[in-house]
Amino acid sequence: MPITQGQGVSALSPAPAADTRAGGTDRRVRLPFRTRLLPGAAPALALFAAIRLTGLAAIALANHYMGHPLLKGLAHSWDSRWYLHIAQHGYGTQTHVLATTGAVQRDWAFFPLYPALIRVVYTVLPLTPGAAALLVAWTAAAVAAYGIYTIGYRLYGRAVATALVGVWAAMPHSVVLDIAYTEPLLTALAAWSLYAVLTRRWLWAGVLAALAGLSRPTGFAVAAAVGAVAIQEIVRRRGRVPVGLWVGTAIAPLGWVGFVLWVGAHTGDLFGGYFTVQRAWDSRFDFGVGSLHFLKGLLAHGGRAVYPLALVIVVAAVLLFCLLCLDGAPLALIVFAGVLVLITIGGSGPYASKPRFLLPAFPLLIPLARGLARSWRLRPKHALLIGATLAVASVAYGTYLLTAGHTPL
């Protein structure tokens, strides 16, 4: 059962108002997080670090036996190269022409927040752009893990929160948290924006949602969650809502909308230019037509293990979303996860990448985390075995994807 106010929510409640005996008011900025770690957060973060560091060690070991540099691929694989180029040279400086179709792929398809952070870090610190990219990604992954713990703790308590962080760290495609990709950054911003929504810190929710919209094309899912809860509040309270709700809700989509319009302006088609750029990457919302073609081809001709597993993960995500809804999760989590699932199913593009798109959808893992927490109370050895199996499988599969697999992540 969800935690009651007396069980643990009080530890996360907004700070009490300042003493106003002298007629003063509290002008402090209410951050969307506590300045001290929550109870149990340190072990949960240690678990997260242990799983991901084991993954890095496995990648280094595999590269060693293959005669490659130990950390080959972490900062310069697939999309990472585009982000690094943007960080160093800006937009409009790199294109790629597909030999098969002649489509011109442009760097405008990649959102700006991650390369901007990379540039700031390697400008300020004595690091190479690749090292800066990894530092940003790894820091974001840690911030995301704590944000996920905070949400789990607020809603269900320490055991579920710890399980939620552990399961997120041990997903099949969690190797993406180890490389220079944007999923850790989006997850971090999404988790804290959603937490701000849960605690009714509307301005923070809007600002973080706007930043999430600048991190990835799917970042608008955070703004959708903020907007859905805002509408719910407006209806429930008959319009008697604080000004911060209106302002935060208005801010939330500005990051995503602003970049889309910026790309449109540079292409000469304000409202359609960005989507033209994305189509060159075979990235568009086709209402699942591409997914059906993939399924048909997979059933007819088969494929490497990566593709059936991708299908299994997508199907599992749909089932977990149904369980999340039945579980009575907060609307913000349902909308955020639902939008990501909808984009994953209804979008075109390489099917092998779809599990990566679902990595930020951590609310989908809440039913699994609650089940593991119950199992830990009743049969701790079984829960430990399940968790260890997930972690080992994640490390092994992630190592394969990054060192031996030739499928784009």
Side-chain angles (χ1 to χ4, degrees):
M1 294 292 290
I3 283 182
T4 62
Q5 187 74 15
Q7 287 175 293
V9 176
S10 58
L12 289 166
S13 299
D19 189 354
T20 58
R21 285 172 297 179
T25 58
D26 183 9
R27 297 182 180 275
R28 293 175 297 176
V29 176
R30 295 170 60 235
L31 297 174
F33 51 85
R34 289 172 62 89
T35 56
R36 298 179 184 177
L37 287 180
L38 291 170
L45 294 176
L47 173 63
F48 173 80
I51 295 173
R52 295 318 328 147
L53 288 174
T54 302
L56 287 173
I59 291 168
L61 186 63
N63 280 328
H64 172 72
Y65 279 109
M66 297 173 69
H68 298 152
L70 295 185
L71 299 181
K72 178 181 182 291
L74 294 186
H76 298 88
S77 60
W78 304 106
D79 290 356
S80 302
R81 293 190 287 265
W82 288 86
Y83 287 115
L84 289 174
H85 188 90
I86 295 169
Q88 296 174 81
H89 306 289
Y91 281 99
T93 60
Q94 185 175 16
T95 59
H96 175 71
V97 180
L98 290 179
T100 53
T101 64
V104 180
Q105 297 178 331
R106 301 182 183 276
D107 53 17
W108 288 327
F110 297 91
F111 277 57
L113 183 58
Y114 184 48
L117 292 174
I118 294 171
R119 187 177 184 87
V120 169
V121 170
Y122 82 72
T123 300
V124 174
L125 300 178
L127 297 174
T128 64
L134 289 177
L135 178 60
V136 172
W138 292 349
T139 302
V143 172
Y146 184 46
I148 291 171
Y149 181 88
T150 303
I151 289 176
Y153 183 90
R154 178 177 179 83
L155 296 176
Y156 305 106
R158 177 173 174 172
V160 174
T162 302
L164 185 60
V165 171
V167 172
W168 185 65
M171 285 291 94
H173 278 66
S174 288
V175 67
V176 173
L177 302 175
D178 299 334
I179 65 178
Y181 266 44
T182 54
E183 276 72 17
L185 183 59
L186 172 58
T187 310
L189 293 167
W192 286 106
S193 178
L194 293 172
Y195 175 71
V197 171
L198 294 176
T199 55
R200 298 306 187 258
R201 293 166 167 88
W202 294 108
L203 288 177
W204 276 111
V207 170
L208 293 171
L211 291 174
L214 287 171
S215 65
R216 281 193 54 77
T218 54
F220 72 85
V222 187
V226 174
V229 178
I231 293 172
Q232 182 187 52
E233 283 289 292
I234 292 168
V235 172
R236 184 176 66 85
R237 299 175 64 174
R238 298 181 180 179
R240 299 184 184 92
V241 295
V243 175
L245 182 147
W246 296 101
V247 177
T249 306
I251 292 173
L254 293 184
W256 189 88
V257 171
F259 182 69
V260 167
L261 294 179
W262 181 85
V263 172
H266 279 72
T267 61
D269 181 1
L270 184 62
F271 298 107
Y274 167 78
F275 302 101
T276 301
V277 170
Q278 287 287 2
R279 280 195 293 273
W281 289 84
D282 191 26
S283 178
R284 61 188 182 279
F285 192 82
D286 62 3
F287 299 93
V289 173
S291 295
L292 291 176
H293 286 166
F294 164 79
L295 179 59
K296 181 180 178 180
L298 184 65
L299 294 175
H301 309 291
R304 289 180 296 171
V306 171
Y307 295 101
L309 181 58
L311 178 62
V312 169
I313 292 172
V314 172
V315 172
V318 175
L319 296 177
L320 288 172
F321 178 71
C322 295
L323 290 176
L324 183 71
C325 295
L326 294 174
D327 199 40
L331 180 63
L333 303 186
I334 291 176
V335 172
F336 173 66
V339 171
L340 290 181
V341 171
L342 180 63
I343 294 171
T344 301
I345 296 173
S348 61
Y351 209 88
S353 298
K354 289 185 180 292
R356 169 170 67 88
F357 301 157
L358 290 167
L359 190 60
F362 66 90
L364 296 176
L365 305 177
I366 288 176
L368 288 178
R370 296 189 69 185
L372 275 176
R374 285 193 296 268
S375 180
W376 178 262
R377 289 193 297 269
L378 300 174
R379 298 177 178 179
K381 291 183 179 179
H382 290 187
L384 185 61
L385 178 62
I386 293 172
T389 301
L390 283 175
V392 170
S394 172
V395 168
Y397 186 62
T399 302
Y400 165 75
L401 285 177
L402 208 60
T403 61
H406 300 288
T407 306
L409 275 172

